[in-house]
Amino acid sequence: MQYRQLGDSGIEVSAICLGSWLTYGAGVDDSAGRACIDASFDAGINFIDTANVYGRGAAESFLGDVLKGRPRDSYVLATKLFFPMTESDKGLSAAQVAKQIDASLTRLQTDHVDLYQCHRYDPDTPLEETMEALSAVVRSGKARAIGFSEWAPEQIEAALALAPPSVKFVSSQPQYSLLYRRAEKRVIPISIANGIGQIVWSPLAQGVLSGKYRPGAALPEGSRATSDDAHYMQQFLTGPVLEAVQSLKSVADKAGCSLAQLAIAWVLAQPGITSAIVGASRPDQLRETARAADLAIDPALLAEAAAILEGVRIS
């Protein structure tokens, strides 16, 4: 497993990050979830990402129970806030930052998280208030560093202008994959210039880049595309996209890896990328994707993969 520094934070994280959206504490049986956590540590993954809103606290509670027996310095723990936990508990006000960090720490059964992230930008709270509140969290020792997810370039630059005296962001969490590359235009260049690392979500485009969804075929039973969460991936389930993904198989064969491993290896080879978040409901899924971090794939093959999808990528 590769380990990389998260921005200019000094925190070292595995190139593969275990995510918990739609899985632990909610969509996946606890025994299977525990097996996935064990498999992640066995694979050298030391980085776990969650959020207060995942399962309305259930994911954090599950992780708190599973991780409490492990040495705290053996893993890097990241969580987030912004989305509603109740009708009134939402956003990035100073009151909410103070309330939600304490609630997350209680559920996670720890005295600090390594990374505390703004799940989205809050247009209803002055940025100065949010940054001061996040800085207070870091200075209190409840978080080692702060980050954001899916902020616009102008919002990132405005936050950077407040540091110092505020604590500076060290991480960005954008959607990023062979099929979704919007962050390349401005977010990643701004981040590289300012010591901010990318922890990317959906590197497999909601599983489409694994190749399991075939053009013209019925959706696999029990897959995410047949679940209540299918709306998240509709943009990737078009005929042209699925046909192009199947065309990647020849590249994966030449690289000696699976389609999923090829897609993750491509992400990890791009400038500014620190870690790729993967989800797993079974240990074997995790073992496969974790191996992508150690693949040395010819850059020409990675370029060939990108070229095949160039005409169908969403962004």
Side-chain angles (χ1 to χ4, degrees):
M1 177 59 62
Q2 289 184 31
Y3 298 91
R4 301 175 174 185
Q5 181 166 299
L6 180 58
D8 57 10
S9 69
I11 299 172
E12 281 208 341
V13 299
S14 49
I16 300 294
C17 174
L18 180 63
S20 57
W21 179 44
L22 305 178
T23 51
Y24 310 129
V28 174
D29 177 81
D30 280 2
S31 61
R34 287 177 179 274
C36 287
I37 299 292
D38 289 341
S40 71
F41 278 93
D42 290 344
I45 294 172
N46 76 339
F47 193 16
I48 300 171
D49 179 77
T50 190
N52 61 353
V53 76
Y54 295 166
R56 289 292 193 276
E60 288 183 329
S61 294
F62 169 80
L63 290 171
D65 284 338
V66 173
L67 295 172
K68 64 184 178 183
R70 295 182 181 271
R72 184 60 185 84
D73 61 0
S74 68
Y75 58 90
V76 176
L77 187 57
T79 194
K80 316 179 197 73
L81 83 158
F82 169 75
F83 288 112
M85 293 296 284
T86 67
E87 287 187 6
S88 58
D89 288 320
K90 58 187 176 181
L92 302 176
S93 68
Q96 281 299 305
V97 171
K99 180 176 183 176
Q100 296 305 325
I101 185 61
D102 284 346
S104 287
L105 292 178
T106 297
R107 288 188 291 266
L108 290 165
Q109 300 186 47
T110 184
D111 62 358
H112 75 281
V113 291
D114 299 282
L115 182 64
Y116 200 42
Q117 303 159 100
C118 302
H119 214 155
R120 294 295 186 271
Y121 185 82
D122 183 359
D124 298 322
T125 299
L127 180 59
E128 292 83 358
E129 179 180 338
T130 295
M131 296 305 294
E132 288 172 5
L134 293 171
S135 299
V137 170
V138 174
R139 290 170 182 144
S140 71
K142 295 178 181 180
R144 295 172 64 193
I146 56 173
F148 58 85
S149 179
E150 300 291 357
W151 281 29
E154 296 78 13
Q155 295 162 350
I156 300 168
E157 291 174 330
L160 289 168
L162 297 174
S166 294
V167 173
K168 186 182 77 67
F169 284 132
V170 302
S171 71
S172 164
Q173 191 173 127
Q175 181 176 182
Y176 187 63
S177 70
L178 273 163
L179 285 170
Y180 195 96
R181 297 169 58 179
R182 180 175 296 169
E184 289 178 350
K185 186 173 182 180
R186 292 190 62 196
V187 170
I188 292 177
I190 291 170
S191 297
I192 290 173
N194 289 279
I196 296 172
Q198 307 298 311
I199 310 161
V200 308
W201 63 274
S202 199
L204 294 179
Q206 299 293 309
V208 169
L209 286 168
S210 70
K212 67 181 177 182
Y213 301 105
R214 299 177 179 275
L219 297 172
E221 186 176 346
S223 67
R224 180 167 293 177
T226 63
S227 73
D228 293 339
D229 303 304
H231 59 282
Y232 290 114
M233 59 188 300
Q234 290 305 310
Q235 61 185 337
F236 300 121
L237 289 174
T238 66
V241 170
L242 298 182
E243 289 168 8
V245 170
Q246 293 301 311
S247 297
L248 289 178
K249 284 188 173 180
S250 61
V251 182
D253 288 343
K254 285 184 282 189
C257 65
S258 69
L259 278 178
Q261 289 170 335
L262 175 68
I264 293 173
W266 181 88
V267 163
L268 293 177
Q270 303 313 300
I273 307 302
T274 301
S275 189
I277 300 173
V278 302
S281 57
R282 304 190 314 271
D284 60 295
Q285 292 175 322
L286 193 59
R287 285 189 284 266
E288 178 190 356
T289 52
R291 284 195 290 270
D294 293 323
L295 295 176
I297 298 177
D298 185 339
L301 290 178
L302 297 178
E304 183 179 346
I308 288 172
L309 297 183
E310 181 60 34
V312 298
R313 63 185 172 99
I314 308 305
S315 173

